[in-house]
């Protein structure tokens, strides 16, 4: 065992024993090269927040769900889980779960047992479907399933009436169920899919502020839809829109210069929009979950804190011991 791994292992043990002795509620073991889930964690019954992302964990102990009953915030992203851990179904108090960047393949039906979930991220997990049981998560406010292979979305997702942030970017979708019941939806990311038009049901969501449809296959825009969504910022960059010129004066619509030039307009620069026009809130509205801070105090974007975390993540192993 090299010196870095030796210190890594002992620091992990130290951190866990400290939490256990002082009955602390938070344990952060990100990027420690952990291969096997430390059994000592199961004795930390006071834990409410457990961060284990950027390790190499392939299995979770079956008793985890029964031992850590108070757990509310769990981050497992960037590990080596090849299936959704069955033990998680017993964490009925769980509010936030991030299992992104694990090759789990699918979400099981037992996801419905996590009835208190507010935040669920499963980006880059090789998903091809979303189970209909997703509709049982009545408190779900944020759901991210980016960069998977999802072809359809179950109708039951419309039962998640508290949903306000939904990201389905980088899938294989060309239609949606009617989203009319999603009366709290604020942000919808459908970038990099196969949509040929803007789904009509989105026009009836009065709370919608951001709609991302960049890199789809949209060839024409319906003026009636665009007018109904006058208060929605719509990202339509990199779509082969044939009637783009008709909408260059719509300040809420972001169009590609390429589409406008195809119209043969010599003055398109006066009205055209491009990615350089992004304001701060728009830019952050499609941020990947790795850069979203969601501990017990906040679920909002926090660039300063997350940049500091990334500095630690990319530093050499021994840097951790200097920073302790």
């Amino acid at each position: 065992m090299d010196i870095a791994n030796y210190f890594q292992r002992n620091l992990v043990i130290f951190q866990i024993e400290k939490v256990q002795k002082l009955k602390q509620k938070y344990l952060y073991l990100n990027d420690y090269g952990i291969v096997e889930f430390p059994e000592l964690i199961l004795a930390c019954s006071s834990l409410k927040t457990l961060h284990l992302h950027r390790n190499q964990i392939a299995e979770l102990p079956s008793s985890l769900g029964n031992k850590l009953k108070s757990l509310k915030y769990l981050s497992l992203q960037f590990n080596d889980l090849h299936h959704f851990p069955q033990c998680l179904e017993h964490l009925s108090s769980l509010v936030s779960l991030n299992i992104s960047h694990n090759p789990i393949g699918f979400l099981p039906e037992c996801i419905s047992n996590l009835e208190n979930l507010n935040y669920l991220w499963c980006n880059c997990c090789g998903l091809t479907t979303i189970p209909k049981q997703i509709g049982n998560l009545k408190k779900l406010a944020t759901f991210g399933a980016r960069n998977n292979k999802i072809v359809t979305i179950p109708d039951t997702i419309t039962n998640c009436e508290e949903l306000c942030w939904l990201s389905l970017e980088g899938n294989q979708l060309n239609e949606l169920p009617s989203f009319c019941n999603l009366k709290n939806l604020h942000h919808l990311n459908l970038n990099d899919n196969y949509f040929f038009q803007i789904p009509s049901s989105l026009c009836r969501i009065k709370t919608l502020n951001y709609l991302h449809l960049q890199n789809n296959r949209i060839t024409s825009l319906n003026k009636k839809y665009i007018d109904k969504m006058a208060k929605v910022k719509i990202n339509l960059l990199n779509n082969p829109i044939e009637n783009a010129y008709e909408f260059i004066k719509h300040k809420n619509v972001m169009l590609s210069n390429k589409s406008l030039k195809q119209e043969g307009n010599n003055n398109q620069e006066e009205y055209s929009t491009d990615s350089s026009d992004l304001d701060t809130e728009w830019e952050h509205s499609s941020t990947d979950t790795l850069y979203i801070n969601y501990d017990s105090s906040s679920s909002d974007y926090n660039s300063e804190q997350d940049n500091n975390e990334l500095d630690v993540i990319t530093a050499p192993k021994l840097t951790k011991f200097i920073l302790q």
Side-chain angles (χ1 to χ4, degrees):
M1 179 183 297
D2 62 46
I3 188 170
N5 287 331
Y6 173 81
F7 278 112
Q8 290 264 76
R9 180 176 179 277
N10 282 278
L11 182 56
V12 167
I13 294 173
F14 169 76
Q15 299 276 36
I16 299 172
E17 289 181 341
K18 178 184 175 183
V19 168
Q20 183 182 2
K21 180 179 179 180
L22 300 177
K23 298 186 183 301
Q24 294 178 336
K25 298 179 181 180
Y26 314 104
L27 179 58
Y28 302 94
L29 295 173
N30 311 326
D31 193 36
Y32 276 90
I34 300 172
V35 177
E36 294 186 4
F37 183 91
E39 294 286 336
L40 285 173
I41 294 178
L42 300 179
C44 302
S45 57
S46 61
L47 272 184
K48 292 186 181 294
T49 298
L50 176 59
H51 284 198
L52 290 166
H53 52 265
R54 289 193 177 275
N55 285 292
Q56 302 166 40
I57 299 170
E59 294 285 341
L60 297 183
S62 58
S63 58
L64 183 147
N66 294 318
K67 295 288 187 179
L68 302 180
K69 287 288 190 181
S70 299
L71 203 60
K72 289 189 174 183
Y73 303 88
L74 177 60
S75 173
L76 295 166
Q77 60 182 350
F78 289 99
N79 274 281
D80 194 31
L81 298 167
H82 283 254
H83 62 273
F84 187 90
Q86 199 74 19
C87 60
L88 299 185
E89 68 175 299
H90 301 296
L91 296 176
S92 57
S93 297
L94 205 62
V95 170
S96 178
L97 173 63
N98 194 332
I99 199 167
S100 298
H101 298 273
N102 283 280
I104 61 174
F106 70 95
L107 293 175
E109 296 180 1
C110 68
I111 193 73
S112 63
N113 293 344
L114 305 179
E115 57 187 21
N116 285 304
L117 267 189
N118 291 160
Y119 312 101
L120 174 60
W121 289 290
C122 47
N123 301 325
C124 303
C125 286
L127 305 180
T128 57
T129 61
I130 294 175
K132 63 181 182 180
Q133 287 76 15
I134 194 78
N136 293 338
L137 304 181
K138 305 293 187 181
K139 297 181 180 180
L140 193 64
T142 295
F143 180 41
R146 300 175 59 182
N147 299 323
N148 287 289
K149 301 176 182 178
I150 301 168
V151 178
T152 60
I153 303 298
D155 294 343
T156 53
I157 198 171
T158 61
N159 295 332
C160 304
E161 295 185 5
E162 297 301 314
L163 197 62
C164 64
W165 194 97
L166 175 60
S167 182
L168 298 168
E169 177 178 354
N171 283 285
Q172 300 173 17
L173 300 168
N174 59 27
E175 61 180 1
L176 296 174
S178 176
F179 274 11
C180 296
N181 289 341
L182 299 181
K183 299 178 181 179
N184 291 295
L185 193 62
H186 168 81
H187 168 279
L188 178 60
N189 189 342
L190 299 172
N191 287 344
D192 296 293
N193 277 282
Y194 298 160
F195 289 94
F196 289 91
Q197 61 183 358
I198 297 177
S200 60
S201 65
L202 302 184
C203 303
R204 296 190 288 275
I205 303 176
K206 296 181 179 180
T207 57
L208 191 62
N209 289 333
Y210 294 95
L211 173 59
H212 292 263
L213 280 163
Q214 183 172 333
N215 296 318
N216 274 273
R217 302 178 179 183
I218 299 173
T219 56
S220 65
L221 299 179
N222 187 314
K223 188 176 185 303
K224 180 179 178 182
Y225 293 175
I226 299 298
D227 288 343
K228 285 185 176 181
M229 293 191 289
K231 296 182 180 180
V232 183
K233 289 189 176 181
I234 310 173
N235 183 343
L236 290 165
L237 293 174
N238 301 324
N239 280 281
I241 301 172
E242 297 175 358
N243 63 335
Y245 180 68
E246 298 176 22
F247 300 91
I248 57 177
K249 293 186 179 181
H250 287 68
K251 299 301 183 182
N252 65 314
V253 179
M254 187 177 295
L255 300 166
S256 298
N257 285 336
K258 182 179 179 181
S259 297
L260 295 169
K261 289 176 182 178
Q262 290 174 348
E263 297 291 334
N265 174 43
N266 294 326
N267 298 316
Q268 77 275 5
E269 296 299 329
E270 180 180 353
Y271 302 111
S272 64
T273 58
D274 213 328
S275 57
S276 60
D277 296 323
L278 292 170
D279 60 34
T280 301
E281 188 176 0
W282 176 287
E283 185 177 5
H284 291 168
S285 68
S286 60
T287 303
D288 197 357
T289 57
L290 172 61
Y291 307 107
I292 296 178
N293 173 38
Y294 69 106
D295 59 21
S296 59
S297 62
S298 173
S299 62
D300 298 322
Y301 183 85
N302 187 324
S303 58
E304 181 178 355
Q305 178 170 337
D306 290 321
N307 285 336
N308 291 339
E309 182 180 1
L310 289 177
D311 290 340
V312 175
I313 287 173
T314 56
K317 286 184 178 181
L318 289 175
T319 303
K320 290 194 187 68
F321 313 116
I322 299 172
L323 297 176
Q324 294 301 314

